[in-house]
Amino acid sequence: MRAGERTADRRVTAAGLWAAGGFLLLVIASAALPPNDRLGTWLPLHLALAGAAAQAIGAALPFFTASLLAGRPARWEVRAAVQVLLGTGAFAVSAGMAAHLPPVAAAGGVAFVSGIGLLACVAFLPLRHALGSRHSWVLAAYAAAFADVACGASIATLEVAGFGPVATGWAWLMPAHAWLNLLGFVSLVIAGTLLHLYPTVVGSRIARGLRMRAMVSGLALGASLVGLAYVLRADPIGRAGAATELVGTIALVAYVGGAWRVRGRWTGDLAWRRVAIGSLGAGVAWFAFAAGVAAGRVLLEGATPEAWSFEVVGAPLAAGWMAQSIVGAWTHLLPAVLGGSPRRHARQRRILGLAGAPRIVALNAGVAILTIGLAGSSSPATAAGAVVVAGSLILDLVLLLGATVASEPAA
């Protein structure tokens, strides 16, 4: 890959991470709207998970697969097209639903699904000329994630387009859509990325063993089986999927814990490393909580509409798992994908590590308060948690901006 192409490719990655940050700002703004205008919790959650998460995934996933496989990445123009399709699609769906314009929302759904299809091609393109290890289990997690979102996003697109069978059965298909997109696509991509990102961040080795296989198999099969159970209204399949999801969740926690136990001993950039490691680790904890609650409810109640509740798992998945994982990923990646000298990268790391421990504590405290408020229908707790989460993420975005525009230090 020529130097100019590599620079453009890195700029697309950085722009995608910034687009994810922009969607997080929209999440914060939408949360301040009256409940009827934001459709309860739907609009902030959709902007977070279909907007911010998809933009971050679209930016980072091709970068990761090309690095893993030591293969030639897709052209930067194609990668940019992925970001445009995902971003405009997620925004159009959100705006169309909020403004009660189903054709706009349906067109956005088509654009989003098209972006996912193109992203799958871009992500797996390096396989053609891969020079390194195939990393089969990481790629399997990504493949399962794409299959889940293709089904989940298509279901939602058909619903907003007014397709009769989907619209009339939406009470059952909405939980299928949620499981496939949130516990399937978003969570599988983050978890699959953590298989190599987390050991890299903590300075250990990628452990290819039972925990990796159990994690990918459990999370991939679990979400798919529960989604299928809601489509078929089959409780036994749902309970089997929920149990499988719990196995995958436990394996993910065990994998991350194993990497932490054999971590390297760092002597420099400790604050920056603390933010990356702490954010990724806390994100896994919130995912374990959310997946445990979601799977536990299906085990107890079966694959019924009542077994799914955004109010219980929405904040842990959107803010605790997704948003926090994005913060951890951009903290680690940004100095690597932006140009400049080692001295500029050192300055960026210092900026990204500012007030690291208080930021992590504040964000996770906010997620906990917000979760309690939503689950308990407590307006004061919900408002307080939302303010703390919003303030923490705004500070993260300010530091991201500062690191992005940081100039070369004087000689």
Side-chain angles (χ1 to χ4, degrees):
M1 190 175 192
R2 293 190 296 271
E5 291 177 331
R6 185 178 299 277
T7 299
D9 187 65
R10 288 177 173 175
R11 285 176 177 169
V12 171
T13 301
L17 293 174
W18 257 108
F23 269 102
L24 289 179
L25 283 177
L26 291 177
V27 172
I28 294 166
S30 67
L33 295 173
N36 288 338
D37 292 339
R38 55 179 159 81
L39 308 178
T41 60
W42 182 88
L43 184 57
L45 284 172
H46 191 270
L47 287 168
L49 295 163
Q55 285 291 292
I57 289 168
L61 193 59
F63 184 85
F64 282 136
T65 55
S67 299
L68 273 177
L69 299 170
R72 184 182 179 89
R75 291 181 60 85
W76 71 267
E77 296 93 339
V78 181
R79 292 195 53 201
V82 169
Q83 298 298 125
V84 171
L85 285 170
L86 293 178
T88 56
F91 183 82
V93 171
S94 302
M97 293 296 292
H100 305 289
L101 297 172
V104 174
V110 172
F112 185 86
V113 173
S114 301
I116 288 295
L118 187 57
L119 174 59
C121 296
V122 167
F124 289 101
L125 183 65
L127 273 174
R128 296 187 308 167
H129 306 294
L131 300 175
S133 170
R134 293 285 175 161
H135 295 275
S136 300
W137 286 97
V138 176
L139 297 176
Y142 291 158
F146 285 125
D148 282 345
V149 73
C151 295
S154 296
I155 289 172
T157 301
L158 290 171
E159 196 278 332
V160 298
F163 183 64
V166 175
T168 56
W170 185 240
W172 291 84
L173 293 176
M174 188 276 289
H177 161 73
W179 266 89
L180 291 170
N181 283 3
L182 308 187
L183 292 160
F185 172 59
V186 172
S187 296
L188 268 170
V189 170
I190 296 175
T193 302
L194 287 177
L195 288 176
H196 52 92
L197 180 61
Y198 190 80
T200 300
V201 171
V202 302
S204 62
R205 296 175 62 86
I206 297 176
R208 296 178 177 85
L210 178 61
R211 283 174 289 192
M212 176 184 285
R213 296 191 294 271
M215 188 212 82
V216 175
S217 301
L219 296 184
L221 289 174
S224 299
L225 286 173
V226 174
L228 178 63
Y230 273 107
V231 173
L232 300 179
R233 305 187 186 186
D235 281 350
I237 296 176
R239 288 190 166 93
T244 306
E245 180 77 13
L246 288 176
V247 171
T249 301
I250 293 169
L252 171 61
V253 173
Y255 181 88
V256 169
W260 171 256
R261 284 192 296 273
V262 295
R263 65 191 182 279
R265 302 297 175 180
W266 304 109
T267 58
D269 297 315
L270 296 181
W272 170 72
R273 299 183 193 281
R274 190 177 297 118
V275 174
I277 295 170
S279 297
L280 295 176
V284 170
W286 280 115
F287 171 73
F289 170 81
V293 170
R297 289 170 68 98
V298 173
L299 282 173
L300 293 174
E301 302 178 35
T304 63
E306 295 75 21
W308 174 258
S309 173
F310 274 116
E311 286 71 23
V312 177
V313 302
L317 283 175
W321 171 230
M322 183 277 300
Q324 193 160 208
S325 296
I326 291 175
V327 171
W330 81 37
T331 298
H332 179 75
L333 288 173
L334 196 72
V337 300
L338 292 179
S341 68
R343 296 175 64 206
R344 185 188 184 213
H345 294 162
R347 173 175 284 184
Q348 291 166 338
R349 290 192 290 269
R350 286 194 297 272
I351 294 171
L352 292 168
L354 287 174
R359 285 161 52 203
I360 293 172
V361 171
L363 177 57
N364 286 282
V367 174
I369 296 169
L370 181 58
T371 301
I372 292 170
L374 289 172
S377 301
S378 171
S379 297
T382 300
V387 168
V388 175
V389 170
S392 299
L393 292 177
I394 289 173
L395 179 55
D396 289 328
L397 289 167
V398 169
L399 294 176
L400 176 64
L401 174 61
T404 302
V405 301
S407 60
E408 291 282 355

